[in-house]
Amino acid sequence: MEIKGSAVKATPDFVKANFINRYSEWLKSLPSSSREIIEKPIYATTWYPLIESVIIPTQKVADLFYNGDYNKAAREIGRYSADIALKGIYKIFVRISSPQFVLSRASSIFSTYYQPADIKVVESSDKKAVLQLEKFHVDEKLIMERIAGWIEHTLEITLKSPLKVDVEQIVNGKNLTARITAMWQ
């Protein structure tokens, strides 16, 4: 799987924003394949390998700052990414839109960030939406938590009411399909 550079940039930006004093330690903890991506300019429209550019750097964030809790680190980076993406006019737009509309647009946007992924809303109601993500590899499970964090924070901005975002991962050999279920009141 490949991911667009604008999404790759979120991880080093997150570390700089939250752990600036340990940024170089985090960078040095990366294997050379990941470090080379992070140290060079990251171009928004360039495609990068998902494992080296996002999964491994997220795991290192977890190891250094979240006691090895990979899911927590991925969710926090996803939440940060939503905050950055939804600044200014977009934040106002999200606040006045329905959760169903925001999530339907989010599934379209996510499809442009991952290739060759297939991402779509498979269920939508007044209090629930389910996104299905297909064509991922089993080694890419962690990206689902990051997407869930993005959805979670986006819904917090939209609703300001209790919500729940769950990730169900279905592994078939080396293929991964995930369902992210968002519920609100």
Side-chain angles (χ1 to χ4, degrees):
M1 182 68 62
E2 292 184 311
I3 186 169
K4 279 272 180 81
S6 51
V8 171
K9 221 170 139 5
T11 307
D13 289 352
F14 172 84
V15 175
K16 286 177 188 172
N18 293 283
F19 307 101
I20 188 65
N21 294 338
R22 295 181 68 193
Y23 182 80
S24 63
E25 177 187 357
W26 170 76
L27 195 60
K28 287 175 188 170
S29 76
L30 298 174
S32 61
S33 58
S34 297
R35 193 171 49 253
E36 287 174 17
I37 293 168
I38 302 300
E39 287 181 327
K40 292 180 182 175
I42 299 170
Y43 299 105
T45 58
T46 299
W47 291 100
Y48 295 88
L50 180 59
I51 298 288
E52 289 81 5
S53 66
V54 173
I55 302 294
I56 293 170
T58 299
Q59 291 170 336
K60 295 301 181 179
V61 166
D63 291 341
L64 292 173
F65 311 121
Y66 292 96
N67 295 316
D69 189 338
Y70 290 179
N71 291 340
K72 173 77 171 163
R75 285 259 180 154
E76 291 302 318
I77 294 168
R79 293 173 61 80
Y80 173 83
S81 181
D83 218 25
I84 297 304
L86 301 174
K87 282 188 171 182
I89 191 75
Y90 292 113
K91 198 168 219 172
I92 295 165
F93 174 74
V94 168
R95 284 189 176 155
I96 62 172
S97 298
S98 71
Q100 298 89 336
F101 179 76
V102 170
L103 290 177
S104 70
R105 293 297 303 141
S107 68
S108 298
I109 292 166
F110 288 140
S111 293
T112 66
Y113 279 77
Y114 302 93
Q115 73 174 13
D118 183 14
I119 302 171
K120 60 187 173 233
V121 176
V122 294
E123 184 182 335
S124 183
S125 67
D126 288 344
K127 308 250 183 246
K128 179 180 176 184
V130 180
L131 275 73
Q132 185 163 301
L133 302 94
E134 296 178 320
K135 299 184 182 173
F136 286 82
H137 188 273
V138 69
D139 293 341
E140 299 164 340
K141 285 181 177 182
L142 200 53
I143 200 64
M144 302 309 163
E145 290 296 332
R146 180 168 157 162
I147 292 169
W150 194 96
I151 290 168
E152 186 176 75
H153 192 57
T154 300
L155 288 176
E156 288 170 358
I157 293 167
T158 306
L159 297 167
K160 295 186 179 168
S161 68
L163 60 99
K164 182 177 178 184
V165 179
D166 288 324
V167 178
E168 174 192 5
Q169 302 199 30
I170 303 121
V171 175
N172 183 5
K174 293 187 178 193
N175 298 318
L176 171 65
T177 297
R179 286 181 158 234
I180 300 177
T181 303
M183 293 178 279
W184 56 88
Q185 294 186 358

